[in-house]
Amino acid sequence: MRSILVTGGAGFIGSNLVLELQHRHPNAHIVVIDDFRSGDFRNLIGFKGEFVAADLSRLDWNAQFRNLSFDAIFHEASITDTTVHDQFLQTHNNVESFRRLLDFAAPSLIPVIYASSASVYGLGSNVMQEDQPPAPANVYAFSKVQLDNLARIYARRQPAWKIVGVRYFNVYGMHEAHKKAAASMIYQLYLQIKAGKRPRVFHSGGQRRDFVHVKDAVNMTIDALSAPQSRVYNCGSGRAFSFNEVIDELNRNLGTDLAPEYFENPYGFYQPRTEADLTLARTELKYSPEFPPIRGIADYVAALEGRKSA
Ligand SMILES: NC(=O)c1ccc[n+]([C@@H]2O[C@H](COP(=O)([O-])OP(=O)(O)OC[C@H]3O[C@@H](n4cnc5c(N)ncnc54)[C@H](O)[C@@H]3O)[C@@H](O)[C@H]2O)c1
C-alpha cells in the first residue's frame, strides 16, 4: 500500500493501528485525522506521516484531499464514551463523520474498514453472531448500528466496493490510558490494584466480557482488507472472561492478593455477558487470536510494568 488514511488515529486502537501500518509499510504515505476530543498526541509519538487536525463530522474531504487518493481508509474515529447520552451529539458525530467519508471514498471505490461495536448486540447473554438483529441499549450503540446500516446501503449500490466492519468486543492494551473511565475494565482494575486498593466491580463480579488484546484487534483490522466481500466481522478473543477472573490474573501477574470489593450496578443497560462467535472471521479472514485472556493480561501487565511483553 502506498497511501493509507486512518481516522481517530490519536485514539487507542487508531494509534496502535497507525504504528503497525507504519511498521509494515515504511514507505507508505500515512495520513491521520483526529480532533482530539478523546485522543491524545502522546499515542502518536514516533509517527512519521501527515496529521490533519479536523472534526470529521464537518470535514470537506474533497477540499482537504484535492490531489490525494488512498489505497485504503481505516475509520476508527467516534465518540467512544458510552455514557454520553446526548442523542444528537453522539449520532451526529458518529454517523455524519462516516457518511462524509463514504461519499469521498465512493467514486474511486477506496476500500473502507470501519469500527463497529459489540454494543450493537445489546443486553443478551448468548454467544453473539454477526447476523443476529441489533438491539442497541444506548445511543452510542444506536449510532454504531447506523454505521452498519450505512455501510450496507453504500455497498449494495456499488457491489465492487469493499466496506468492511470490524465489530470490536472489549479491547484492552497499551495507549488506552487517555480514555480514563471509558478505558477497559482490565486497565481500571490494574490501576486500582497498583494504588493498593481493593478492585471494585459490580455484584458479584460474575459479569463476563470477551476481552480482546489490541494487537489481535489491529491484526484483524488490517486483515479485513482481504475480506471476500463487504460485511461485518466479530473481533474478540472468542472467550468470555469474568471480572473476578480478571482480578485473579492481575493479582497473579502483579504479585498482589487484593480481594474484590463488590457494589451495586447503577446502570440499566449494562451487558451481563459478551462473547464473540468468531466462525466468520476465522474462515473468511483466517483470524486466529494470539492472545487468549490469560496470555493477553500477562502481556499487558508486562508492558504496563515496563517488562518485556510478547
Ligand atoms: N476500545 C474498545 O473496546 C472498542 C469496542 C468497540 C468498538 N470500538 C470502536 O473502535 C473505535 C476506536 O475506539 P478507541 O477505543 O480507540 O477509542 P478512542 O476514544 O481512544 O479513539 C477514538 C478517536 O476518535 C477521535 N474522534 C472522535 N470523533 C471525532 C471527529 N468527529 N473527528 C475527528 N476525530 C474524532 C477521538 O479524538 C479519538 O482519538 C471507535 O469507533 C469505537 O467506537 C472500540
Side-chain angles (χ1 to χ4, degrees):
M1 285 193 289
R2 281 170 305 161
S3 188
I4 307 166
L5 188 138
V6 181
T7 74
F12 165 38
I13 302 174
S15 61
N16 279 285
L17 174 64
V18 166
L19 296 174
E20 180 62 21
L21 287 167
Q22 180 172 272
H23 174 68
R24 292 192 198 185
H25 304 278
N27 298 319
H29 178 60
I30 302 181
V31 177
V32 168
I33 308 179
D34 205 297
D35 71 355
F36 293 110
R37 78 184 57 207
S38 67
D40 193 303
F41 77 91
R42 280 165 285 220
N43 286 338
L44 282 177
I45 288 173
F47 173 54
K48 301 186 180 104
E50 180 182 345
F51 191 91
V52 177
D55 175 353
L56 288 154
S57 66
R58 296 187 166 77
L59 179 69
D60 180 341
W61 282 74
N62 290 315
Q64 180 73 41
F65 300 114
R66 204 165 293 140
N67 302 316
L68 266 185
S69 184
F70 298 98
D71 297 319
I73 298 179
F74 295 92
H75 180 51
E76 296 289 340
S78 172
I79 292 178
T80 51
D81 182 349
T82 57
T83 62
V84 172
H85 298 306
D86 182 327
Q87 301 193 24
F88 176 77
L89 176 69
Q90 185 84 253
T91 312
H92 182 267
N93 187 71
N94 298 351
V95 180
E96 298 317 316
S97 295
F98 193 43
R99 195 193 314 273
R100 283 170 181 260
L101 181 157
L102 291 174
D103 286 337
F104 170 77
S108 319
L109 303 186
I110 302 169
V112 173
I113 311 300
Y114 71 95
S116 178
S117 165
S119 64
V120 303
Y121 293 124
L123 304 180
S125 57
N126 293 330
V127 175
M128 290 148 166
Q129 289 173 327
E130 288 89 341
D131 292 335
Q132 75 189 58
N138 59 23
V139 69
Y140 164 79
F142 172 82
S143 77
K144 291 295 184 182
V145 174
Q146 305 321 306
L147 262 64
D148 293 337
N149 290 349
L150 267 189
R152 218 173 24 252
I153 291 164
Y154 276 68
R156 203 183 294 139
R157 282 186 203 145
Q158 304 201 70
W161 187 11
K162 218 184 274 181
I163 309 173
V164 180
V166 180
R167 191 165 281 165
Y168 300 122
F169 278 64
N170 285 79
V171 189
Y172 64 96
M174 295 305 276
H175 292 192
E176 65 167 318
H178 67 278
K179 291 182 71 176
K180 301 197 171 74
S184 71
M185 274 302 284
I186 294 178
Y187 185 63
Q188 317 271 1
L189 295 170
Y190 164 83
L191 287 182
Q192 291 168 21
I193 292 175
K194 284 296 283 181
K197 296 181 188 149
R198 286 176 61 191
R200 282 168 56 80
V201 285
F202 299 148
H203 269 293
S204 297
Q207 304 87 344
R208 291 181 174 270
R209 289 285 175 275
D210 187 324
F211 291 106
V212 54
H213 195 296
V214 71
K215 291 179 192 168
D216 284 327
V218 162
N219 285 337
M220 180 167 157
T221 303
I222 298 172
D223 290 345
L225 278 173
S226 64
Q229 78 273 346
S230 295
R231 61 158 309 134
V232 176
Y233 294 93
N234 280 343
C235 178
S237 68
R239 313 257 180 98
F241 213 59
S242 75
F243 293 163
N244 285 331
E245 287 173 301
V246 169
I247 291 168
D248 286 347
E249 287 311 309
L250 287 170
N251 273 322
R252 213 158 59 82
N253 283 281
L254 287 167
T256 49
D257 188 20
L258 287 162
E261 184 183 319
Y262 300 120
F263 66 106
E264 284 311 318
N265 176 359
Y267 301 113
F269 57 82
Y270 204 72
Q271 289 173 302
R273 173 192 174 102
T274 64
E275 184 175 338
D277 181 321
L278 296 178
T279 310
L280 264 174
R282 286 188 195 281
T283 41
E284 297 194 357
L285 304 179
K286 309 289 171 250
Y287 174 62
S288 173
E290 202 186 320
F291 293 97
I294 291 178
R295 176 154 193 250
I297 293 171
D299 178 85
Y300 189 24
V301 171
L304 287 167
E305 297 287 299
R307 303 194 298 257
K308 195 172 147 13
S309 59

